[in-house]
């Protein structure tokens, strides 16, 4: 049992005994099907805090000969598999967290990795060959030394090699081509050398970005890749599914719709996935908040949204207002230092978890309110000062609307509209709708905000539907008019009975009529309170 060679099951033991543990051991069934197969190398690239490291520790606990995990997995999904005992703790495992090693050994990273693993191999196999031999040769010799006769057959113990944060070298040391080349050659020896064809049962690597295609380097071109865009059968094992979150909400007395608004939104291969770290914190603290945002998030978002690509700023504004925008994700070279156009910038944000992606629509969007708050914080620290200032007035606008202060609402909407139409390259009703939605930027903390709500007799421009834990806030219907008057907007809400769609969301519904006069550039607002009869 070591740190890097045949690690213990301590990490997974802690996770599985946590008060909140969601069983993801079904992932092991998929990995077992890849053992010793021709395609036995898997790469998982997902955003930070989506459970990659916890999954790696689970894989340790299941395969490593350095522990006995039968009791630990009993009762979990994998224990129901026919192959559960066949592979349990039967493999030599090497587990490397490259980011933690790179923190201390930047100049001699590869040689240090080899030394750390070699020392643990030597402790268990004292007569292995000299460390001066190629690392793949050393692993092949260890593999050969495990040969034994089982049921009259010669059997050897192959390796399962797990590398967490494998891509930090490519991301963080891209200016050191010698180190990157040496590192990729090391990975080649583990996953693609002639020796590895014999000793490798399974290769499993995790990272933030998909594998970068580096010219003249083929270390990782044999990996099956699973990403934030295309995760196929692995999707449900990284993040929390809707069903899992519903169960947690019931257990901890949290409002499911509110948790959905805050943390849902990652649509990966047709499945809605939640940020697991944020859901965990919300349940443990009994409070909805932004648990994902941090200083690095602010700088990361600003790095990409402030690049001066034509149309990028407009697309960001559309997404912040709830729209989806088309993005071509195929041209991205999986390198944050090589962002060459708007599509690259948006694709990078998708892989980093700051945008969701709908594969059917080929479009990006802001996945949830927590991520919107991360953008808000980033904008306040960047060069989008006019946007940040407008967002800072959103809470004032929301409560002025609730209080029925129509003049103040008109004034604040006017300021918002002026700000956003300076970015949006059009000046029409759609721009007005986008601007008004942005004006109520913080409303999703309390409401489900729907643009173009179908009512059976038309579409209400904007509906704000309060959630059960919103503090008895009223439902709202906002109808927008262009070069008419606010009375017309109110009359349309009543005549087309838009209020019927919000029946049951409290006795009182606010009817908000807004008109924009193109000539005077003035906004008029009327607010009426409608009560269910």
């Amino acid at each position: 049992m070591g740190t890097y060679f045949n690690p213990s099951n301590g990490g997974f033991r802690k996770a599985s005994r946590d008060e909140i543990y969601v069983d993801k051991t079904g992932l092991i069934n998929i990995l077992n099907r890849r053992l010793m197969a021709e395609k036995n190398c898997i790469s998982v690239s997902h955003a930070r805090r989506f459970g990659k490291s916890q999954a790696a520790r689970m894989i340790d606990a299941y395969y490593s000969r350095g522990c006995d995990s039968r009791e630990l997995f009993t009762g979990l999904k994998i224990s129901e598999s026919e192959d559960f005992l066949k592979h349990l703790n039967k493999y030599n495992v090497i587990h490397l967290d490259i980011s933690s090693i790179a923190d201390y050994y930047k100049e001699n990273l590869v040689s240090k990795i080899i030394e750390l693993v070699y020392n643990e191999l030597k402790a268990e196999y004292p007569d292995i060959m000299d460390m001066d031999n190629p690392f793949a040769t050393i692993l092949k010799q260890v593999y050969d030394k495990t040969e034994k006769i089982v049921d009259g057959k010669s059997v050897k113990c192959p390796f399962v090699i797990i590398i967490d944060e494998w891509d930090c070298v490519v991301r963080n040391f891209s200016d050191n081509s010698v180190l990157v080349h040496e590192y990729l050659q090391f990975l080649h020896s583990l996953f693609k050398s002639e020796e590895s064809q014999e000793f490798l049962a399974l290769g499993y690597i995790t990272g933030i970005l998909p594998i970068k295609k580096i010219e003249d380097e083929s270390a990782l071109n044999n990996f099956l890749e699973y990403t934030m865009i295309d995760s196929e059968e692995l999707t449900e094992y990284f993040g929390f599914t809707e069903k899992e979150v519903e169960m947690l909400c019931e257990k901890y007395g949290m409002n499911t719709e509110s948790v959905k608004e805050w943390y849902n939104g990652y649509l990966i291969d047709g499945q809605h996935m939640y940020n697991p770290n944020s859901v965990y914190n919300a349940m443990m603290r009994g409070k909805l908040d932004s648990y994902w945002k941090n200083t690095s998030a602010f700088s990361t978002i600003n790095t990409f949204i402030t690049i001066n690509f034509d149309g990028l700023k407009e697309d960001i504004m559309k997404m912040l207002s709830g729209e989806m925008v088309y993005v071509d994700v195929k041209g991205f070279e999986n390198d944050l230092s090589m962002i060459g156009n708007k599509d690259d910038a948006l694709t990078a944000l998708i892989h980093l978890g700051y945008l969701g992606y709908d594969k059917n629509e080929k479009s990006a969007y802001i996945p949830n309110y927590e991520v919107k708050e991360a953008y808000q914080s980033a904008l306040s620290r960047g060069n989008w000062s006019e946007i940040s200032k407008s967002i800072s007035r959103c809470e004032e606008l929301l409560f002025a609307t609730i209080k029925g202060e129509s003049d103040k609402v008109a004034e604040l909407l006017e300021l918002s509209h002026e700000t956003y139409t300076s970015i949006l390259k059009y000046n029409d009703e759609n721009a007005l709708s986008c601007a008004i939605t942005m004006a109520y930027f913080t409303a999703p903390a309390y409401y489900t905000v729907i643009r173009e709500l179908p009512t059976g007799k038309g579409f209400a421009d904007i509906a704000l539907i309060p959630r059960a834990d919103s503090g008895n806030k009223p439902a709202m219907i906002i109808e927008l008019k262009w070069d008419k008057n606010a009375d017309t907007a109110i009359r349309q809400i009543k005549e087309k009975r838009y209020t019927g769609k919000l029946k049951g969301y409290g006795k009182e519904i606010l009817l908000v009529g807004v008109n924009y006069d193109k000539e005077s550039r003035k906004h008029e607002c009327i607010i009426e309170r409608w009560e269910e009869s």
Side-chain angles (χ1 to χ4, degrees), residues 261-460:
E261 191 73 28
W262 273 82
Y263 308 120
N264 186 21
Y266 296 96
L267 187 64
I268 308 175
D269 286 296
Q271 292 197 58
H272 287 274
M273 302 303 295
Y274 290 66
N275 182 321
N277 177 74
S278 299
V279 172
Y280 176 94
N281 279 288
M283 299 299 156
M284 292 301 294
R285 301 183 186 191
K287 177 185 177 184
L288 299 174
D289 206 342
S290 294
Y291 298 107
W292 201 32
K293 66 181 182 182
N294 51 49
T295 303
S296 63
F298 306 149
S299 60
T300 299
I301 292 173
N302 271 313
T303 296
F304 299 113
I305 67 176
T306 58
I307 299 175
N308 190 28
F309 293 132
D310 185 47
L312 177 59
K313 202 167 188 178
E314 183 177 7
D315 279 356
I316 294 295
M317 289 307 312
K318 287 180 181 179
M319 288 188 289
L320 287 173
S321 71
E323 295 186 23
M324 301 174 70
V325 300
Y326 173 80
V327 56
D328 181 359
V329 299
K330 294 180 180 178
F332 183 50
E333 295 188 36
N334 304 333
D335 188 333
L336 299 182
S337 67
M338 298 181 66
I339 305 298
N341 53 53
K342 179 182 72 171
D343 287 323
D344 284 352
L346 296 177
T347 305
L349 289 169
I350 292 169
H351 286 298
L352 293 166
Y354 297 118
L355 290 177
Y357 181 72
D358 187 322
K359 191 162 59 174
N360 291 329
E361 298 289 337
K362 295 182 173 56
S363 296
Y365 57 92
I366 305 292
N368 53 53
Y369 185 62
E370 180 183 44
V371 175
K372 281 187 70 173
E373 281 212 334
Y375 275 86
Q376 180 183 355
S377 297
L379 294 174
S380 68
R381 291 163 170 77
N383 59 2
W384 291 41
S385 57
E386 75 282 13
I387 303 299
S388 177
K389 185 177 179 180
S390 181
I391 290 175
S392 70
R393 296 190 291 259
C394 290
E395 201 82 348
E396 182 183 5
L397 170 63
L398 177 62
F399 286 98
T401 308
I402 292 173
K403 293 175 183 178
E405 298 172 352
S406 55
D407 289 343
K408 187 172 185 179
V409 169
E411 177 188 347
L412 292 171
L413 289 178
E414 194 167 305
L415 291 171
S416 174
H417 194 187
E418 288 175 359
T419 298
Y420 299 123
T421 52
S422 67
I423 296 170
L424 299 169
K425 296 179 180 178
Y426 50 92
N427 191 26
D428 55 17
E429 292 185 48
N430 194 37
L432 176 62
S433 179
C434 178
I436 300 304
T437 305
M438 279 298 298
Y440 288 95
F441 188 88
T442 59
Y446 319 98
Y447 291 89
T448 298
V449 181
I450 303 175
R451 287 177 65 182
E452 295 295 319
L453 175 71
T455 65
K457 292 190 176 183
F459 293 85

